[in-house]
Amino acid sequence: MGIFRSETMKHGTLVLPSDRAREYLDCIGKQVDIQFVDMNEKTMKRQYKKYIQRIDDMERILRFLEENINKLPNVKIKKSKVENFLEHDNIYELDQVEESLNRLYVQFVRFCNNNKDLINERNNAVEEMNVILTAMNQLNPDASKNSIMSTKTGRDKSLPFIETVNEENAFLSSSMVRDGINMMFTNISGVIKTKDQESFSRTVFRALRGNSYTYFQNITNEMAEIDGTISNNINNGGIHKSNIVNNNGDNNNNNGNMDNVSSYTSDKLGNRGIDEENINELKSVFVVYCQGSAQSSIHEKIMKICKAYDVKTYDWPKSYELAKKRLKELKEIINDKEKALRAYEEYFINEIFVLINVVEPNKNSLIEEWKLFCKKERSIYNNLNYFEGSDITLRCDCWYSANDEEKIRHMLINKSSNDLVSALLLSDKVLTPHISPPTYIKTNDFTKTYQTIVDTYGVPRYGEINPAISTIITFPFLFGIMYGDVGHGFCLFLFALFLIIINNRVKNKSNNEILGMLLDGRYMLLLMGFFSVYAGFLYNDFFSMPLNLFTSMFEKDKVENGVEIFKRRMVNDSNTGQQIPASPYIFGFDSKWLGADNELSYINSFKMKFSIIIGFIHMSFGVLMKGCNSVYFKKKMDFFFEFLPQLVMMLSIIGYLVFLIVYKWATPVGYDGFNKQDIINTLINMYLMKDLTKDSQFYKHQGTVQIILITLFVLCIPTMLVCKPAIRTYKIIKERKRAMNNVNNYYNSYAGNNMNFINGGFSNIEKEMTNNFQNNPSHYNSGVSGVYIRQQHDTAANVANTSSNVHSTSKNKNVNAKKKKKRTDDEMEAHLLGPSSSSASPNDGMYNMHDDLMQHQQPLHKENISEIWIEQLIETIEFILGLISNTASYLRLWALSLAHQQLSLVFFEQTILNSLKNESFMAVLISLIIFSQVFSILTIAVILCMDTLECFLHSLRLQWVEFQNKFYKGDGVAFKPFNIHKLLCEGERE
């Protein structure tokens, strides 16, 4: 049990104190495998749903933090160490972890929002600074003489800013501004995307009918050269992402990783809500000169146009002095924002590294510890939701292995030694009928893959033979028969060894699903490679080339019409000195067969017959497994009327075919005076009952043997078709008659024994019932139920006793009802552990007679006779047809082996051999180098990948359909235990 069959399962009820139920489940989930049954499936009452909701919020915060931490460069979260976590998981508490996560989440969101606001304010300050620089160039007479630009020219020029101006220039510019004010000119300035400036200029020109002047200035480094502190903020005509969004790294005193994190936080986290496209686009400063005041309609039109183009406008300074003063203020604002950004980043980096740092050396990071803790708590509270009970105790039905029962009891005793309310496990002595226990099959790294293959078809029924054990050998062997090649099999074997070596390093560190599947199936790939090498030696095939490992038994005899004819080689006997035939090739095909003109006919004949032999052995083993299951479950009808007829039919048809194959191989020509006959014709003549002659016989008494086999086969058909359903039908009819007789006797006995009670005692009952109802209406039903229960279960009592019992019962009920107003501790425990008479509904007794009758009538509707016959008819037809179809299906072993060998041969001939046909040495060398690469690529892509998958799928088909359908039901229920370690490991892989 445990590997060949399911573990012996037991059903019980686990009772836990409510206040410490979580601690008990935590302890149980770490040490034993136990599956809980949902006691609230119908009511959907979940006592711990609030805890699940809290854990959902915690996991959401963890996902949010982990996604952002994973974006950090050169930062990795230490994970995949479940064993280390379970050693010290008791240091974490749900309230503390929840508080820490909420605090981090609030700080993180606040940091992102503040960082976003700071960056927006700094970017606005930088844009305004560029507007001020453009204004200073306009207000500086020396600069304005050298650079003037309008929209009519359609050209943008960068005007350098010259900070040193004399007082005359300043006075002149001030006078120009004053004159402009007196003439009621308005300046509207801002920053616009460079690609939109021409469209913006045309729109303004058309809206104002040419009564405006628009000036554009590209944002460049030269315009931002105010001092060394902000010279990196503007670059190449736009707000550069790495400088404006990122902080300067000059003041960062952290290590290399901290530098990377700092750069990231300013570039990624602090940049939420900012359009990356806008940051990378070039921008230009514009100023529109128009006549009119700020309250004029012209000014309003320009502002509407700016709003349509999503343009930010800034105040245009009225004088050079005001521009210079404002420039100084903007420099201070930018420096302050950068300092604030760096302060926020340093604070956030410290918080992030608290989550990244490991709790202890070679352990998980703190955020990974919290993730595992949340998964563990979720699984605990999910299982606690299956429990029902009150504020004192909780109870839940459960399944567990019989081997773990003592371990569970010992654990509960130790855990509840100091508790007022003890935890206990109440096990059922007898399993509930008609409820199949879950199937629990223990696996390890070696058998896990094979068990997965079997479970994919269907979970084994509880107690039936587990086909995964035989699959460990049969599946790789069938694959090897189809894939047989020494070279290819050795490559597959080495690949499996490589997976075994790197498994511990890569395990749970990669989220690649395909790699995970390969690592799980590493041992199966190892056996597949081993049997492929074995079959390759059997076929004497190494990359489609023969291996002359042993001395051939053939030698060249003569050449006729260009065809070489071989004969058996003669050798000298060391003892007698006479010439004797050479010994056969020690193992596999003789190397002389490979490359011969009749190679395909010989090898194909062998592989086809060999496939039939393998199929017969495989299917016969499946039929034998059915017999073993029948004996184990003590099903005599299945053993005698299904297993034995199927075995006889298998041996009489397919077994006889295999006998003829082996007999033809083992006996020489003319053995016992009979010639070698064609096997297919022999079988056809056998089924047609044709007379045999000496020229059409294999062996003596062949006709008698064949008649016996056909007779057995024909007799097995009605035996399998009729006997089992006939017996079951007879038992059902007999049971129905017996049930009907019991019901009739029950009615007659009830009516006869209670006639006097009905006639003479009913008035007393009515009086008693009336008194009870008047005194205490709540006991009305109780009194009646007591009468009916007593009368129903004591049908042999006489009328006098019955009448007296009615009065005494009614009085006792009234007395007991008063006493039972306050429940005792025993009654409370009985109420918590299950329904009893003390907690039954008052009306339950009214229906006891009806329920008893329904139990008598239950077999009437248990089975349907027509379904039994139809089911047996289908199974009989399916097996008989399967004898031929399933046997023919095993011919895929021959077909795929032939395809594999021929495909490999074509690749070798068209690449390597063709390169060797050149006459020149250099041509041979060059072509050999080139075509050897082509041969390697084709071998890896087609043979080692595609053909491996093809042979795998065909082996899977033979395992599921041809083998398992002979005995395997596959309708079991998988055992899904509450095991914290398994849950956490599965969660890591997902």
Side-chain angles (χ1 to χ4, degrees), residues 848-892:
N848 283 343
M849 181 178 68
H850 178 266
D851 294 340
D852 199 13
L853 295 177
M854 292 302 296
Q855 291 178 1
H856 286 286
Q857 296 176 358
Q858 185 177 2
L860 298 175
H861 306 283
K862 188 175 181 180
E863 290 181 314
N864 193 322
I865 296 177
S866 61
E867 292 180 358
I868 293 174
W869 284 91
I870 293 174
E871 180 183 356
Q872 191 65 27
L873 176 64
I874 293 174
E875 185 172 354
T876 304
I877 295 175
E878 182 181 5
F879 181 81
I880 294 173
L881 295 179
L883 288 176
I884 306 301
S885 62
N886 292 346
T887 304
S889 182
Y890 279 91
L891 293 176
R892 70 185 69 238

Side-chain angles (χ1 to χ4, degrees), residues 480-490 531-549 585 587-591 594-595 599-600 603 607 896-906 908 935 943:
I481 296 299
M482 292 182 281
Y483 199 75
D485 188 286
V486 176
H488 299 151
F490 189 68
F531 282 107
S532 298
V533 173
Y534 168 80
F537 281 115
L538 182 65
Y539 301 152
N540 202 353
D541 207 359
F542 180 82
F543 291 115
S544 73
M545 295 178 292
L547 291 174
N548 194 12
L549 299 177
Y585 205 74
F587 183 81
F589 289 132
D590 197 301
S591 58
L594 302 178
E599 173 190 1
L600 286 180
I603 294 179
K607 290 184 177 180
L896 268 75
S897 175
L898 176 63
H900 179 90
Q901 191 267 341
Q902 291 298 311
L903 190 62
S904 178
L905 180 62
V906 169
F908 182 76
F935 176 74
I943 303 296

